[in-house]
Amino acid sequence: MANFPDERELVLRARSQLEQWTNSARTQAYSELFEGDAPILDPEGVQRLDALDSAMERQGGDGVWGTDQYGIHTAGTTSSDSSVGIVCVYHPQITRDSVLQGDDGIDDETEERLNAALWQYSERVATLIEERLDEFIRQTQN
């Protein structure tokens, strides 16, 4: 039987890779969801997100893109199957009071559509990171 690293060691080693995995997953998810054959937003919607991102950054904020955050979680089991996974701990969101600060150019329907796209993007990024984590675990256990 193979000698598996304990869960704590596995999480610490995976955490050192998380930023790289996240950046790669963000690029892939953006390409799939916003530039692919069936984008989830029309070009005007993507331009709107980019404009909001720029405006937020000019106001000293973090913007929209790259503010999503991911963490490694454990299920707390001690079985030989991996109980380690990825979760999105912060989904970026457009809100009238916290982000737009006086911008009257966005209606509720547009806000909801943009937030739904940001949620889908963040969840796709989490899935892609988890695929990299699973591969990391398989390689570590061999």
Side-chain angles (χ1 to χ4, degrees), residues 29-30 32-34 38-41 70 91-92 113-128:
Y30 186 92
E32 289 176 7
L33 297 174
F34 298 108
I40 61 173
L41 287 177
Y70 304 89
H91 293 80
R113 188 171 42 87
L114 296 177
N115 284 332
L118 287 170
W119 182 276
Q120 189 173 347
Y121 165 78
S122 297
E123 290 301 305
R124 181 63 182 144
V125 171
T127 298
L128 293 167

Side-chain angles (χ1 to χ4, degrees), residues 14-69:
R15 193 176 290 149
S16 71
Q17 301 292 314
L18 186 58
E19 183 177 354
Q20 177 185 350
W21 294 339
T22 300
N23 291 336
S24 174
R26 283 176 176 152
T27 300
Q28 183 177 342
Y30 186 92
S31 177
E32 289 176 7
L33 297 174
F34 298 108
E35 297 174 337
D37 294 334
I40 61 173
L41 287 177
D42 59 19
E44 182 179 302
V46 175
Q47 288 175 338
R48 187 65 180 255
L49 282 177
D50 288 342
L52 290 169
D53 178 68
S54 295
M56 291 165 56
E57 286 178 349
R58 282 193 306 274
Q59 294 173 3
D62 292 327
V64 173
W65 303 115
T67 60
D68 48 323
Q69 298 173 14

Side-chain angles (χ1 to χ4, degrees), residues 122-135:
S122 297
E123 290 301 305
R124 181 63 182 144
V125 171
T127 298
L128 293 167
I129 296 169
E130 189 149 322
E131 289 172 4
R132 288 165 176 87
L133 174 63
D134 290 345
E135 180 60 28

Side-chain angles (χ1 to χ4, degrees), residues 64-94:
V64 173
W65 303 115
T67 60
D68 48 323
Q69 298 173 14
Y70 304 89
I72 299 173
H73 71 82
T74 62
T77 65
T78 57
S79 69
S80 61
D81 294 330
S82 174
S83 59
V84 180
I86 298 293
V87 64
C88 181
V89 296
Y90 178 77
H91 293 80
Q93 183 169 312
I94 308 297

